Amino acid sequence: MLIKRMERHRRRGNLADALQTHANGGLDRRAFLNRSGLAAGSLAAVGALPLSAVRKAKAGPPPPIGTTITIRKSVCTHCSVGCTVTAEVSYGVWIGQEPSWDSPINRGSHCAKGAAVRELVMGERRLKYPMKLVNGQWTRIKWDQAIDEIGGKMMAIRGQSGPDSVYLLGSAKMTNEGSYLFRKFGALWGTNNTDHQARICHSTTVAGVANTWGYGAMTNSFNDIRNSKTLLIWGGNPAEAHPVSLQHLLEGAELNRANFIVVDPRLTRTAAHATEYVRLRPGTDIPVLYGMMWHIIQNGWEDKEFIRQRVYGFEDVRKEIEKWPPDEVERVSGVPGEQLKRVAQMFATQKPSTLIWCMGQTQHTVGTANVRRRQNQIAAAVFIVSGFILIMVPKEKPDPNAGGKQQEGQ
């Protein structure tokens, strides 16, 4: 945004200079004709160059008159957001698609992946037969050859090192049936080493939220986000990573005039929309969280009744919070104390509020600890003021050994 403004300013400056030169008599008729001829000659020379990178755009012909087109609604297969896809089908062939305007999720829009979901099936570049790299060139081979070569190598590895020496990694593009067969193949092979790419994204969150709220999943919906008065995004950049959700965030920020707070070491495209941008040093999420709780406890903004009824061991948390006054938090994280107090006050008092965190704060060696502290400790002082908590805190004491390997040593 700032770059565009600077460019616009520079262009206006060049135009003003040119007009000023003309007004001073610096551009007469002969000079104008000479420069025009030079420009025309340059354009002609460029037009004669063989631009091999430019090719004629191809577009499929419209369906013939009288063709029967069936409209079918489906769900985008790329992720679990649930965007609706309106497919145009002719004689069993998927010939076009549109995002559905009546979908409460994507509301007439698609991200780049959703817009290309048809290409998974009908794309010209879709891989339709086995390919093998031979002398640096991809060469088509027969199915029997591919199965024999891959199976032979896998059996050799298994015979030498056992079935657990093979690691099977699934894909988000698999169908439910494909994922089921993939897991069955791992069991048939004799190993539990089957995994999915989403584990890297969500293992920390599932463990941390399950420890504190009793259920390892989100507690808020898009409707909650749109109706919030304070939006706090921690370590997320939905403007680039999740544009479908960004429209819900922007609606809350623009229509409800909500506080839009982004905490991130980097000024992202999402942070450019924020009403309050908090820059912290990478890896200092926990001190900043403690700093927010320090201000909330000092000013009595916490929900005391909620803490009394549903939070276990808060007095121990309070002792830890006292170790993080504003000057110490600023020394460690770089976040000014006054800004952190302002953010804590907005989140705790201008309700309903919602807290959204993403991989910017989970992809650390202490990722699960980040989530647990954000949920278990901020739950008592900050998160519970949101008014949108849909999951009850378990009254029994949490199991300190639950939550997977991420918790060890933290």
Side-chain angles (χ1 to χ4, degrees), residues 18-40:
L19 293 175
Q20 183 66 29
T21 303
H22 177 69
N24 295 335
L27 185 65
D28 57 10
R29 181 173 178 273
R30 182 179 298 276
F32 174 79
L33 292 175
N34 288 338
R35 296 180 185 180
S36 300
L38 179 61

Side-chain angles (χ1 to χ4, degrees), residues 80-138:
S80 60
V81 172
C83 295
T84 303
V85 179
T86 300
E88 299 174 353
V89 181
S90 177
Y91 298 107
V93 179
W94 189 0
I95 63 173
Q97 74 173 73
E98 292 289 342
S100 296
W101 286 96
D102 57 351
S103 168
I105 306 298
N106 54 315
R107 304 192 301 171
S109 66
H110 269 327
C111 70
K113 294 186 292 184
V117 68
R118 177 178 169 271
E119 301 299 314
L120 292 176
V121 180
M122 307 301 298
E124 295 179 357
R125 300 179 62 186
R126 181 188 178 203
L127 191 61
K128 300 176 181 178
Y129 38 77
M131 303 286 288
K132 182 180 180 180
L133 191 63
V134 179
N135 298 325
Q137 297 292 328
W138 287 105

Side-chain angles (χ1 to χ4, degrees), residues 198-219 356-363 366-372 374-375 403 406-407:
R199 182 194 62 80
I200 302 173
C201 306
H202 301 297
S203 61
T204 53
T205 287
V206 170
V209 178
N211 286 170
T212 53
W213 295 96
Y215 184 72
M218 62 182 289
T219 63
I356 303 168
W357 75 83
C358 302
M359 287 187 285
Q361 69 98 12
T362 61
Q363 302 305 299
V366 292
T368 302
N370 283 345
V371 176
R372 287 210 315 271
R374 192 175 310 276
Q375 289 284 336
Q406 285 276 348
Q407 294 189 11

Side-chain angles (χ1 to χ4, degrees), residues 175-367:
T175 62
N176 287 341
E177 293 79 7
S179 299
Y180 177 84
L181 291 175
F182 186 79
R183 177 64 190 95
K184 286 296 184 181
F185 174 73
L188 176 67
W189 180 258
T191 182
N192 286 326
N193 293 340
T194 55
D195 211 339
H196 187 272
Q197 57 86 22
R199 182 194 62 80
I200 302 173
C201 306
H202 301 297
S203 61
T204 53
T205 287
V206 170
V209 178
N211 286 170
T212 53
W213 295 96
Y215 184 72
M218 62 182 289
T219 63
N220 298 61
S221 68
F222 280 152
N223 288 330
D224 298 334
I225 292 172
R226 285 201 306 274
N227 290 283
S228 294
K229 291 297 184 181
T230 300
L231 302 165
L232 177 56
I233 301 179
W234 202 298
N237 184 19
E240 298 181 49
H242 201 330
V244 170
S245 70
L246 182 69
Q247 59 181 323
H248 297 273
L249 292 164
L250 292 181
E251 180 173 323
E254 294 175 4
L255 299 185
N256 296 335
R257 300 184 180 275
N259 304 306
F260 194 179
I261 307 166
V262 175
V263 182
D264 202 293
R266 182 171 63 96
L267 180 61
T268 62
R269 293 179 183 270
T270 302
H273 292 283
T275 57
E276 186 82 41
Y277 168 54
V278 181
R279 186 192 297 272
L280 77 167
R281 292 192 181 102
T284 61
D285 304 86
I286 292 175
V288 175
L289 288 168
Y290 275 132
M292 289 182 63
M293 287 188 282
W294 188 93
H295 286 293
I296 291 171
I297 297 298
Q298 289 293 318
N299 291 277
W301 296 329
E302 74 274 19
D303 190 329
K304 299 178 178 60
E305 187 63 18
F306 185 99
I307 294 173
R308 185 186 66 82
Q309 291 182 353
R310 309 186 189 183
V311 179
Y312 175 84
F314 185 70
E315 290 306 317
D316 295 333
V317 177
R318 191 187 297 270
K319 294 177 183 178
E320 190 67 26
I321 293 172
E322 293 173 357
K323 301 177 184 178
W324 293 96
D327 55 346
E328 180 65 11
V329 174
E330 183 171 358
R331 183 189 70 83
V332 174
S333 68
V335 178
E338 284 301 316
Q339 183 186 34
L340 198 61
K341 179 181 179 181
R342 184 167 62 250
V343 169
Q345 183 177 10
M346 281 190 292
F347 191 77
T349 62
Q350 299 186 33
K351 301 182 288 186
S353 55
T354 187
L355 172 63
I356 303 168
W357 75 83
C358 302
M359 287 187 285
Q361 69 98 12
T362 61
Q363 302 305 299
H364 296 273
T365 56
V366 292

